């Protein structure tokens, strides 16, 4: 758990920021609702409102009103799931964001599931955990970079739910793979093993840098494949393969969203949308269709990511945007 003093300091500072920033939040709400606002401005307003909702839900409200935790190996997942429900329900409504989720896959209850997720946009990581809990009904096991939990409240919630923080230097990556193997070997049928094979949040600059690195390492085929997928980062299959090989009975779900990356609206290789829609897609691969040999798995995973890239391109077509104009949202009550 986070020491009391830093936690208290975050609550105090967060409260002051919300009080001082209240007029700006009112203006941001008006910008979200007003017609004719440029996409970039509307998205910045949404990001500001989401930041305020984040402070309220994860830092100021904390564990108050959160359902009692189950006892056992991963009882803390209930706490994280409750906080995520508040944020992605009330917080999204405040920011004028609609979550459009394709029907989730039906997965046999007698096995764990490996969830391999796209990494793009603000608040993307917690959204994946939220979807796993709300749509798949599973507890989330995962690893994360230390910087992923940027505030004490979020770090507390992650730690309680079984998230293991790792350094991503050479030694840290080795320990991370060991941790993934341990999670996979010990996975229960109620567990979801979550991983982001891209390893970092999408931006066109990072995409170019990753392709340059692939060419410098002599991996020209992989570089050419990456160039054909401009909406996703090149994958690092080692961690995903560790999960797949260590949990051979697990189904795989590829999970992607597009919409959250629009909030920053910088560094994208494609035009930002202003519709306030976050689209979610699922791809379910039964365990007996998942290659477990390392090279075959790596090639298979790259094929999956090509499908994700094509889905993003189709979802973001202008025709889709015209059908998803921003709608007025009543201001919801503050979560309790």
């Amino acid at each position: 758990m986070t020491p009391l003093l830093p936690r208290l300091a975050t609550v105090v500072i967060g409260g002051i920021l919300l009080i001082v920033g209240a007029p700006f939040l009112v203006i941001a709400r008006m910008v979200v609702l007003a017609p004719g606002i440029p996409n970039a401005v509307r998205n910045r307003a949404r990001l500001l409102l989401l930041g305020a909702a984040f402070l309220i839900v994860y830092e100021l409200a904390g564990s108050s009103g959160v359902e009692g935790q189950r006892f056992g190996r991963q009882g803390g997942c209930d706490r994280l799931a409750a906080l995520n429900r508040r944020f992605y329900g009330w917080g999204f409504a405040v920011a004028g964001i609609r979550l459009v989720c394709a029907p989730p896959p039906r997965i046999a209850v007698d096995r764990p599931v490996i969830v391999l997720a796209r990494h793009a946009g603000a608040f993307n990581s917690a959204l994946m955990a939220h979807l796993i809990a709300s749509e798949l009904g599973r507890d989330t096991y995962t690893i994360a970079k230390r910087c992923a939990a940027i505030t004490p409240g979020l770090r507390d919630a992650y730690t309680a739910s079984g998230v293991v923080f790792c350094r991503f230097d050479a030694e840290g990556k080795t320990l991370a793979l060991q941790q993934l193997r341990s999670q996979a070997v010990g996975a229960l049928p109620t567990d979801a093993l979550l991983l982001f094979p891209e390893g970092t949040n999408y931006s066109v600059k990072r995409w170019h840098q990753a392709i340059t690195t692939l060419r410098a390492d002599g991996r020209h085929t992989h570089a050419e494949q990456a160039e054909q997928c401009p909406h996703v980062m090149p994958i690092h299959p080692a961690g995903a393969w560790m999960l797949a090989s260590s949990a051979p009975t697990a189904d795989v779900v590829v999970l992607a969203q597009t919409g959250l990356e629009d909030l920053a609206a910088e560094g994208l290789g494609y035009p930002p949308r202003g519709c306030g829609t976050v689209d979610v897609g699922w791809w379910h691969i039964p365990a007996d269709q998942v290659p477990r040999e390392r090279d075959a798995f790596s090639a298979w995973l790259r094929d999956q990511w090509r499908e994700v890239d094509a889905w993003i391109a189709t979802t973001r077509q202008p025709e889709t945007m015209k059908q998803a104009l921003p709608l007025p949202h009543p201001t919801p009550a503050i979560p309790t």
Side-chain angles (χ1 to χ4, degrees):
M1 296 292 288
T2 302
L4 178 60
L5 188 58
R7 184 78 174 87
L8 181 61
T10 303
V11 171
V12 171
I13 294 172
I16 293 173
L17 288 174
L18 288 171
I19 293 172
V20 173
F24 299 98
L25 297 176
V26 172
I27 294 172
R29 177 69 179 170
M30 294 172 62
V31 167
V32 167
L33 297 177
I37 300 295
N39 287 350
V41 176
R42 196 188 301 276
N43 285 332
R44 287 297 197 282
R46 288 192 173 104
L47 185 59
L48 178 61
L49 291 167
L50 277 182
F54 175 88
L55 282 176
I56 292 172
V57 171
Y58 294 99
E59 301 304 318
L60 301 186
S63 60
S64 62
V66 174
E67 295 88 328
Q69 299 177 22
R70 288 174 286 114
F71 293 101
R73 186 164 63 111
Q74 231 177 306
C77 279
D78 291 343
R79 177 186 175 193
L80 181 61
L83 293 173
N84 285 341
R85 276 197 304 274
R86 291 178 178 178
F87 179 69
Y88 291 103
W90 173 77
F92 266 30
V94 166
I97 296 175
R98 294 181 295 135
L99 189 63
V100 180
C101 187
R106 300 180 63 180
I107 302 171
V109 297
D110 62 345
R111 68 194 65 179
V113 61
I114 297 167
V115 179
L116 304 177
R118 184 198 184 210
H119 200 353
F123 309 108
N124 173 83
S125 299
L127 175 60
M128 300 297 106
H130 169 61
L131 292 169
I132 287 170
S134 62
E135 303 296 327
L136 298 184
R138 305 284 179 125
D139 289 339
T140 301
Y141 263 174
T142 190
I143 62 173
K145 296 178 181 178
R146 294 181 183 275
C147 62
I150 58 176
T151 61
L154 186 60
R155 178 176 287 272
D156 280 353
Y158 275 4
T159 302
S161 71
V163 175
V164 176
F165 295 100
C166 302
R167 297 192 311 274
F168 273 64
D169 53 17
E171 180 182 0
K173 288 180 180 179
T174 298
L175 294 176
L177 288 174
Q178 293 174 0
Q179 182 62 43
L180 289 173
R181 183 180 185 279
S182 176
Q183 290 177 352
V185 169
L188 299 177
T190 53
D191 290 340
L193 305 168
L194 172 63
L195 194 68
F196 299 88
E198 293 159 301
T200 189
N201 217 344
Y202 174 90
S203 75
V204 70
K205 180 180 179 180
R206 288 174 177 165
W207 179 74
H208 281 300
Q209 289 174 338
I211 291 172
T212 299
T213 299
L214 287 172
R215 293 198 182 281
D217 292 343
R219 300 164 66 187
H220 299 289
T221 299
H222 293 163
E224 291 172 1
Q225 292 173 347
E227 286 177 332
Q228 297 169 8
C229 298
H231 303 90
V232 295
M233 294 289 295
I235 60 163
H236 302 276
W241 174 76
M242 182 62 73
L243 291 176
S245 61
S246 302
T249 64
D251 287 5
V252 171
V253 169
V254 175
L255 175 57
Q257 65 79 24
T258 184
L260 285 179
E261 70 269 42
D262 292 317
L263 300 182
E266 290 181 354
L268 298 180
Y270 42 88
R273 302 185 300 183
C275 59
T277 299
V278 175
D279 296 283
V280 174
W282 314 78
W283 294 260
H284 174 215
I285 303 93
D288 59 1
Q289 298 178 24
V290 178
R292 306 290 168 168
E293 190 275 325
R294 185 164 190 166
D295 290 341
F297 178 86
S298 298
W300 171 84
L301 186 57
R302 290 188 175 89
D303 288 339
Q304 303 305 310
W305 241 246
R306 276 194 286 272
E307 289 192 28
V308 171
D309 180 83
W311 173 80
I312 295 168
T314 301
T315 302
R316 299 183 67 89
Q317 285 178 351
E319 292 78 10
T320 303
M321 288 186 272
K322 291 176 183 177
Q323 297 172 9
L325 296 175
L327 299 175
H329 294 266
T331 303
I334 294 177
T336 58

